[in-house]
Amino acid sequence: MARNGHRYRYWNPMHLIGHIKPNGIHSSVFDVTFWCTKVDTVCSTSHTEQRKRKHSIAFLFFLILQPCYISTGVSNFDADKNKTYIDTLSPYPTAFSSNTSKKYFLTKLGLQKDYPCPVVAGTDYFRVGSDGSCSTPNCNGILPVGSTARFRYVLINPANKTVVAESLWSNNITLYPLKDPESIDNGFAGRSASMIVITSILCSFLALLLLLLLIMLIYVLCCREEKQEIQVPGSVRMYDTHNLKDPSPYVNRAYEDEPQRPTATSPIRLKSYTDYDLKKPATEL
Amino acid sequence: MADGKGTTCLMVILILGNIFGAAAGLALCALAIWVAVDEYKLYPISGVSGKDDIFAGAWIAIFTGFAFFCMCVFGILAAAMKSRALMLTYLILMLIIYIFECASCITAVTHRDYLVGNSNLVKKQMLKYYAADGDSGSRITLTWNKVMKEVECCGTDGPVDWIEYNSTFREMYGTDYPWPTHCCKRKNNYEVVNVEACKNGQNTTMFTKGCFNHIESVFSRYTWAISWYGFAVLMFMFWLLILAMVYYLIL
């Protein structure tokens, strides 16, 4: 709870949390990013305070394990906050190491001018955990995976390290649990409609084609009859020369003057030409 | 010969059909060459996973397309010469090529479903192989870097993939960079606009859409080229072959 009215108003973490963007990209697995609101106001206000009181700003981080130990870290801090040398009571390396550790830690103690609030395009933020896995007592280390956390700012008297002023608690922030990529099931993804259409139609048409070709071959080899015929039955006047490439009727000129087809009543009469000369008149035999 | 006029009519139809078929076969060959060349350079994504038969279908289609072209030219000859032996040869060879082209179409479309039916396979591969050592790792890393830079995207479904799942990238480089710097916007001289803001997820300084849409659309484009166009060619060839069989019967 802020002690001195409006001077600490901008440290109200509700303002800080209010700038967390709903698309959630800020919340990564090990870090919680939240936004310094109006940081120059914050920083200049506290700068004024510092000149008066030479206090350090510490950023305090709590961890609450869920669901049963929801108030572990909070209650531990509340129990400790009136003691001196609070920055050494729960150093970062031991803060989460076992079930009995205090589950809170202080980080980034320092004067305002050392406080890292980089200004980027109008939003200002402090990134918890940017030191990675570190081992100094008050380093900005990463949080346990998948945990829920709250945080607040505190103002500490540099002389005896007691808590002078503090902001409100933030809301609970749940970090992403880290999933194993082997758990992604990349098996059967389902068949698309086009695959079914193409496969079924092509297979059936291919079968049809094979069947038709087989039937055609069997028909040609076994069942086909010769269709070659003399065009005029009983006549030798005109007959097919059986030439496969160029079938054409051949007219036998010995019977040119025969005007009609021979029948039983008018049989073929053979004629003889003298000297085999077709121009001379013929005699019937 | 019986039915001379009908034979001639069918011969003309067959010759025209074969001319069209030759053109279609040549176009299939050219399209399959385009797919095999892979202008989008996404082959490693399918190659590393072992499901690269879209490209196998493309290679088969190159050969069957060219074979269709040659056989259709032969078919023009066989029809014009009214030769039964040649027509029979034409029919049998065309059937063999038909079978191979069917195989190409079906393979391409089936493997497309395996690969990009949903984003799981691509995502798992990205998490496992990006920034990994070895040949597969380096190929996947180069491919993803190229895609993220050109398409302006990050991760498979979004940058959240990098923080939701453990990955080789996280194990190698720790948690300081939640996602690769290729997810960050860059200036024209290739410098990152703002590394700190990108690390924090500021969406004006990084790409927030996923790359899967682009990858899926590229593989689908390749597949539709091979399978649907091959399907169209085969439908045409089916009727051409039926006509050729009829022609053979009346020859």
Side-chain angles (χ1 to χ4, degrees), chain A residues 230-250:
Chain A
I230 296 175
Q231 275 188 299
V232 180
S235 161
V236 294
R237 189 166 75 114
M238 204 161 100
Y239 56 87
D240 200 344
T241 52
H242 297 283
N243 185 340
L244 286 174
K245 295 276 190 283
D246 187 18
S248 55
Y250 174 75

Side-chain angles (χ1 to χ4, degrees), chain B residues 39-98:
Chain B
E39 68 168 302
Y40 295 98
K41 302 277 184 289
L42 287 184
Y43 176 78
I45 291 180
S46 62
V48 166
S49 69
K51 306 214 187 310
D52 61 349
D53 281 352
I54 299 175
F55 297 96
W59 280 103
I60 297 175
I62 293 176
F63 291 110
T64 56
F66 189 69
F68 269 138
F69 170 74
C70 294
M71 283 313 298
C72 285
V73 170
F74 177 73
I76 294 173
L77 205 74
M81 286 170 67
K82 293 194 179 175
S83 154
R84 287 179 117 193
L86 289 182
M87 280 307 290
L88 192 62
T89 316
Y90 169 77
L91 279 172
I92 291 178
L93 286 178
M94 277 293 261
L95 191 74
I96 293 173
I97 301 169
Y98 194 94

Side-chain angles (χ1 to χ4, degrees), chain A residues 76-91:
Chain A
N76 283 343
F77 175 73
D78 286 338
D80 287 347
K81 71 178 166 194
N82 295 316
K83 302 181 189 162
T84 56
Y85 293 98
I86 188 161
D87 55 335
T88 54
L89 289 178
S90 177

Side-chain angles (χ1 to χ4, degrees), chain B residues 191-206:
Chain B
E191 264 178 42
V192 179
V193 171
N194 191 322
V195 181
E196 288 298 324
C198 180
K199 277 203 267 182
N200 277 281
Q202 176 104 8
N203 54 2
T204 51
T205 58
M206 63 179 284

Side-chain angles (χ1 to χ4, degrees), chain A residues 29-30 125 179 185 224, chain B residues 84 120 163-164 166 175 249:
Chain A
V29 177
F30 297 123
Y125 53 87
K179 292 190 254 188
D185 177 22
R224 186 184 268 264
Chain B
R84 287 179 117 193
N120 288 347
I163 38 186
E164 255 190 325
N166 197 6
T175 58
L249 282 175

Side-chain angles (χ1 to χ4, degrees), chain A residues 1-2 46 65 73 94 105 111 116 126 129 163 185 197 204 223 237 239 245 249 282:
Chain A
M1 184 61 197
S46 54
L65 292 179
T94 63
F105 67 100
L111 300 176
F126 172 69
V163 173
D185 177 22
V197 165
S204 48
C223 314
R237 189 166 75 114
Y239 56 87
K245 295 276 190 283

Side-chain angles (χ1 to χ4, degrees), chain A residues 224-284:
Chain A
R224 186 184 268 264
E225 294 159 5
E226 276 304 311
K227 290 191 290 186
Q228 321 293 351
E229 278 179 17
I230 296 175
Q231 275 188 299
V232 180
S235 161
V236 294
R237 189 166 75 114
M238 204 161 100
Y239 56 87
D240 200 344
T241 52
H242 297 283
N243 185 340
L244 286 174
K245 295 276 190 283
D246 187 18
S248 55
Y250 174 75
V251 179
N252 188 344
R253 299 188 62 200
Y255 301 95
E256 254 177 4
D257 53 356
E258 208 164 275
Q260 62 203 7
R261 287 177 52 175
T263 60
T265 51
S266 57
I268 297 169
R269 303 245 180 273
L270 291 177
K271 296 180 182 154
S272 155
Y273 290 92
T274 53
D275 299 326
Y276 302 101
D277 190 354
L278 292 170
K279 294 193 180 68
K280 294 194 182 142
T283 55
E284 266 193 27

